[in-house]
Amino acid sequence: MVMWNVEFTCLLPTEACRQTSSPETVLNKVQPNEEEERLNRELELTTKERNELTDRLLYVTGGSVNKSPYFRPNPFYEKLKIKEKEVMSLLHNLDTNNIEHREKFQELNKEINFYRNMHSQLLMDQACMKKKVVTLKQECKEVQRYLFELNPNDEEEREKTSNLQTQQNLVSETAGDME
């Protein structure tokens, strides 16, 4: 069965329109089913290709096309985002702890320097005291000799000498305790 397709073509508005015709064949019953199957296969392939390209796009862009109506979240990307948040949180906590420990370390260094300076000062004071003790011992011996030479027989003088020796022993014991 042949149908005629009629077309009109006009070149200019002043010209008369011409009528052209061409024969068109009518598809039989088998052809529409084959055509429908072919179109369905093409549609399936196109849909599959579109989904693969969307997945690639999501992977490459990191899911920034989530406003797209065809958006399907990538579960690996979502897990990676969660891990990133955990790691960034951990990093922030470590930075905070690092700052706190650095401040404590500086405070401890100041305290260590203070005690070192104090220890040095005490050692210098101890050395000065030892020199003074040695000087006082020498002066005490000289005084004892002088007193003994003046009155070796006088008992009163001997008591004074023994008192001075007792004082000298006390000074010696005090100096020994300081060492």
Side-chain angles (χ1 to χ4, degrees), residues 9-18:
T9 56
C10 297
L11 297 174
L12 295 172
T14 56
E15 294 181 13
C17 291
R18 293 185 287 174

Side-chain angles (χ1 to χ4, degrees), residues 21-61:
S21 62
S22 62
E24 188 175 292
T25 59
V26 177
L27 300 173
N28 60 23
K29 293 181 180 180
V30 174
Q31 285 180 335
N33 288 339
E34 290 176 359
E35 186 69 18
E36 185 179 342
E37 288 176 14
R38 185 186 64 78
L39 289 174
N40 281 337
R41 280 190 303 246
E42 281 183 25
L43 181 62
E44 287 175 4
L45 288 173
T46 306
T47 304
K48 183 178 178 182
E49 185 178 345
R50 184 205 63 205
N51 289 343
E52 289 174 358
L53 290 174
T54 303
D55 288 344
R56 275 194 207 160
L57 180 63
L58 289 174
Y59 177 75
V60 170
T61 59

